């Protein structure tokens, strides 16, 4: 048997990794080594010299735990199919852990370690959006432009109303990137007018033009490559009253208003709190996200929007007088529910569920309807009527049960009979 063993022919000691060459010589020739002298020449501790003589090698791979390790079980729970919370983007998960679970690592490290775990990598790969084609980037000057859009039909699980469908109004100034978010259960034109007025008041001025898609509340006919489209008469009147120009995008070209499209992903952060917040809680969370995004450095421009809004304000058109703005604003009317489970509006009475007897409720009037809220919860919806007394059947049934006005066995029949009699009198 021929056994080959390495033979040391070079005794030059220039670095720590060369010290292992001394060990066989020390063992065979009883050579004494001055570790202190070697340590001084190499600029290290003498104990380090001893380790390397014995054959120590520094690992080329890091074996320490990373900042994700303490949160692995939390992440698995959050991303499980059984959880109603949804995380469509890694940044949303990172922000959620940052805000709620004491995570302190950077976003880049978070993504790196997350991608090292197949189950997490596959979770986000399935949810990643499709890549779109090329587009040209452009910028506008201060006060020139704002971009408008809705985050439509987002389903949220609230603790007080169960699953609801909400819409989020977004208006962003193209120069400063300052944005305004507002939450609503409808996208009606009256709500749009009110939100735009509110945003202009927040900006303390009106931009020269608003870029928008072909939403029905703005465009009667969509703008296409071969047609300029047709702007809705009421929206054109609103634009004339506030002094801005309407610039609709060509249909199916969302990148035209990329400044407002890109921040839409941030709003998916709301889904991360499904089942954790009430409707009011989601509205408060949206305001907090709004302030956070306006107060941090924008990744595209490198500017802080709230700081640059101060510069942009001077170049915005002034707000129109209150006499022009008032018709476009949604006014809250506070009323008291009486012992008959009714409230009064313009000489007529309307019903609410009887558990709100004696409480104050808020009325918002738009789309020819009365929206009745208690602590921001929609509790009743009535068409505006000329009839003096307007009971909804379900409210009257509940009131009859509460007051024990009829025998249990025929409560529905007697209640309907009474409603017909009331209708005959008050119509």
């Amino acid at each position: 048997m021929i056994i080959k063993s390495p033979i040391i022919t070079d005794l030059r000691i220039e670095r720590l990794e060369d010290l292992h060459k001394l060990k066989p010589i020390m063992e065979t020739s009883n050579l004494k080594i001055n570790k202190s002298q070697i340590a001084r020449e190499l600029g290290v501790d003498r104990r380090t010299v001893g380790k390397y003589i014995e054959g120590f090698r520094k690992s080329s791979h890091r074996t320490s735990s990373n900042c994700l390790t303490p949160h692995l079980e939390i992440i698995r729970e959050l991303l499980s199919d059984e959880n109603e919370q949804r995380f469509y983007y890694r940044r949303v998960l990172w922000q959620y852990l940052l805000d709620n679970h004491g995570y302190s690592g950077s976003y880049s490290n978070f993504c790196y370690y997350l991608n090292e775990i197949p189950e997490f990598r596959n979770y986000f790969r399935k949810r990643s959006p499709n890549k779109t084609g090329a587009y040209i980037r452009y910028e506008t000057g201060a006060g020139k432009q704002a971009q408008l859009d809705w985050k439509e039909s987002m389903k949220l699980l609230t603790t007080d109303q169960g699953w609801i469908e909400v819409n989020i109004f977004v208006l962003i100034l193209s120069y400063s990137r300052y944005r305004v978010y507002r939450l609503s259960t409808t996208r009606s034109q009256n709500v749009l007018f009110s939100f735009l007025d509110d945003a202009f008041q927040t900006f303390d001025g009106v931009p020269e033009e608003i870029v928008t898609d072909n939403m029905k509340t703005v465009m009667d006919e969509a703008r296409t490559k071969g047609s300029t489209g047709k702007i809705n008469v009421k929206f054109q009147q609103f634009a004339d009253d506030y002094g801005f120009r309407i610039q609709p995008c060509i249909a199916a070209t969302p990148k035209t208003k990329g400044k407002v499209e890109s921040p839409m992903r941030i709003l998916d952060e709301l889904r991360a709190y499904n089942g954790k917040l009430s409707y009011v809680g989601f509205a408060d969370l949206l305001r907090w996200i709004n302030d956070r995004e306006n107060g941090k450095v924008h990744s595209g421009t490198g500017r802080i929007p709230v700081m640059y809004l101060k510069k942009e304000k001077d170049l915005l058109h002034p707000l129109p007088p209150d006499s022009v703005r008032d018709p476009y604003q949604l006014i809250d009317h506070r009323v008291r529910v009486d012992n008959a489970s009714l409230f009064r509006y313009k000489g007529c009475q309307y019903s609410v569920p009887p558990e709100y007897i004696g409480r104050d409720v808020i009325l918002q009037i738009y789309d020819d309807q009365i929206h009745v809220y208690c602590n921001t919860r929609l509790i009743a919806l009535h068409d505006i009527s000329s009839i003096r007394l307007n009971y909804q059947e379900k409210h009257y049934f509940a009131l009859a049960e509460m007051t024990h006005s009829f025998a249990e066995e025929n409560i529905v029949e007697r209640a309907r009979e009474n409603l017909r009699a009331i209708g005959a009198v008050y119509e």
Side-chain angles (χ1 to χ4, degrees):
M1 177 183 291
I2 299 174
I3 300 176
K4 294 182 179 181
S5 59
I7 299 174
I8 297 174
T9 59
D10 182 8
L11 276 177
R12 292 174 63 85
I13 307 298
E14 296 178 339
R15 53 184 185 148
L16 287 170
E17 287 76 9
D18 295 333
L19 290 174
H20 72 281
K21 301 175 183 179
L22 296 174
K23 186 174 181 180
I25 297 174
M26 292 169 61
E27 290 175 346
T28 57
S29 64
N30 200 24
L31 179 67
K32 298 291 184 178
I33 299 295
N34 190 337
K35 296 180 181 178
S36 298
Q37 179 62 30
I38 295 174
R40 284 192 293 270
E41 292 181 5
L42 295 179
V44 298
D45 189 275
R46 68 183 307 276
R47 289 169 294 186
T48 303
V49 172
K51 282 200 309 182
Y52 276 87
I53 288 175
E54 293 298 322
F56 174 79
R57 289 288 184 274
K58 191 174 181 179
S59 174
S60 60
H61 299 284
R62 295 180 61 183
T63 57
S64 60
S65 61
N66 59 69
C67 51
L68 206 65
T69 302
H71 299 84
L72 288 179
E73 290 308 312
I74 295 172
I75 294 173
R76 285 194 176 92
E77 182 181 342
L78 291 173
L79 301 186
S80 69
D81 292 336
E82 291 75 22
N83 189 11
E84 295 290 357
Q85 296 169 267
R86 291 291 176 265
F87 300 86
Y88 288 100
Y89 304 99
R90 293 174 180 85
R91 181 169 287 278
V92 172
L93 177 60
W94 172 74
Q95 187 69 54
Y96 185 85
L97 293 172
L98 212 65
D99 296 337
N100 299 280
H101 293 284
Y103 183 80
S104 58
S106 69
Y107 178 61
S108 58
N109 282 342
F110 176 79
C111 291
Y112 174 80
Y113 289 118
L114 204 69
N115 285 335
E116 292 291 299
I117 303 173
E119 61 179 298
F120 299 156
R121 182 172 64 246
N122 292 335
Y123 178 93
F124 288 102
R125 183 175 292 168
K126 289 187 295 184
R127 289 162 175 78
S128 61
N130 294 327
K131 294 183 178 180
T132 57
Y135 66 96
I136 189 169
R137 178 168 173 165
Y138 67 95
E139 296 292 340
T140 54
K144 298 292 184 182
Q145 184 190 95
Q147 296 188 1
L148 167 67
D149 207 353
W150 287 95
K151 179 84 169 179
E152 300 177 6
S153 305
M154 178 187 284
K155 291 186 177 180
L156 298 175
L157 180 59
T158 64
T159 55
D160 55 345
Q161 300 182 47
W163 284 102
I164 61 171
E165 194 171 272
V166 301
N167 305 279
I168 302 175
F169 163 93
V170 184
L171 188 70
I172 184 168
L173 287 170
S174 297
Y175 174 74
S176 64
R177 301 300 205 275
Y178 190 91
R179 69 198 70 187
V180 171
Y181 295 144
R182 292 291 181 266
L183 191 68
S184 173
T185 55
T186 177
R187 301 192 307 275
S188 71
Q189 194 173 60
N190 287 335
V191 169
L192 177 60
F193 289 157
S194 178
F195 283 174
L196 281 168
D197 175 83
D198 180 48
F200 295 152
Q201 184 171 354
T202 302
F203 299 155
D204 196 22
V206 182
E208 289 185 13
E209 74 170 11
I210 290 184
V211 177
T212 178
D213 62 14
N214 292 277
M215 60 183 75
K216 292 181 180 179
T217 50
V218 176
M219 302 294 293
D220 288 339
E221 295 178 11
R223 180 190 172 196
T224 64
K225 291 182 179 179
S227 168
T228 58
K230 183 180 179 182
I231 299 172
N232 177 270
V233 174
K234 287 186 178 180
F235 195 85
Q236 183 62 66
Q237 183 61 56
F238 177 85
D240 293 341
D241 287 341
Y242 282 76
F244 65 85
R245 183 174 65 257
I246 305 165
Q247 182 58 50
C249 299
I250 297 174
T253 58
K255 288 297 182 182
T256 307
K257 52 181 179 64
K259 296 179 182 67
V260 74
E261 288 286 343
S262 299
M264 286 296 183
R265 294 191 301 173
I266 296 167
L267 299 177
D268 283 307
E269 191 174 331
L270 295 181
R271 303 182 202 264
Y273 292 83
N274 274 349
K276 303 292 183 181
L277 300 174
S278 64
Y279 181 84
V280 178
F282 277 110
D284 290 340
L285 174 62
L286 183 64
R287 281 192 290 271
W288 182 83
I289 292 172
N290 200 162
D291 290 340
R292 184 192 72 200
E293 295 303 311
N294 283 333
K296 73 179 188 181
V297 176
H298 189 274
S299 60
T301 64
R303 304 167 177 165
I304 298 176
V306 71
M307 300 294 291
Y308 274 75
L309 175 64
K310 294 179 181 179
K311 298 182 178 181
E312 191 161 17
K313 279 182 180 181
D314 295 336
L315 296 169
L316 295 171
H317 296 313
L319 288 164
D322 290 344
S323 58
V324 173
R325 296 175 58 198
D326 286 348
Y328 295 112
Q329 297 171 343
L330 294 180
I331 306 300
D332 289 347
H333 305 271
R334 184 179 293 274
V335 297
R336 176 64 62 91
V337 179
D338 65 20
N339 290 337
S341 199
L342 297 166
F343 66 86
R344 188 178 296 274
Y345 176 71
K346 288 191 174 180
C348 298
Q349 292 179 290
Y350 301 85
S351 66
V352 298
E355 59 262 35
Y356 296 98
I357 287 175
R359 299 178 65 177
D360 287 344
V361 295
I362 300 297
L363 313 181
Q364 285 187 351
I365 317 300
Y366 55 90
D367 297 339
D368 296 322
Q369 291 181 315
I370 305 173
H371 298 73
V372 189
Y373 293 87
C374 185
N375 294 330
T376 73
R377 181 177 184 178
L378 185 66
I379 62 171
L381 184 66
H382 287 271
D383 291 331
I384 295 178
S385 173
S386 59
I387 300 173
R388 293 187 61 193
L389 190 59
N390 300 271
Y391 267 114
Q392 288 186 5
E393 195 174 78
K394 60 183 178 181
H395 298 160
Y396 195 78
F397 288 169
L399 183 62
E401 289 181 345
M402 176 184 288
T403 57
H404 306 288
S405 300
F406 311 114
E408 292 291 335
E409 61 271 13
N410 61 357
I411 187 171
V412 174
E413 181 183 342
R414 289 292 306 278
R416 282 180 176 153
E417 182 181 320
N418 233 35
L419 276 176
R420 285 194 291 270
I422 289 171
V425 170
Y426 287 96
E427 285 183 4

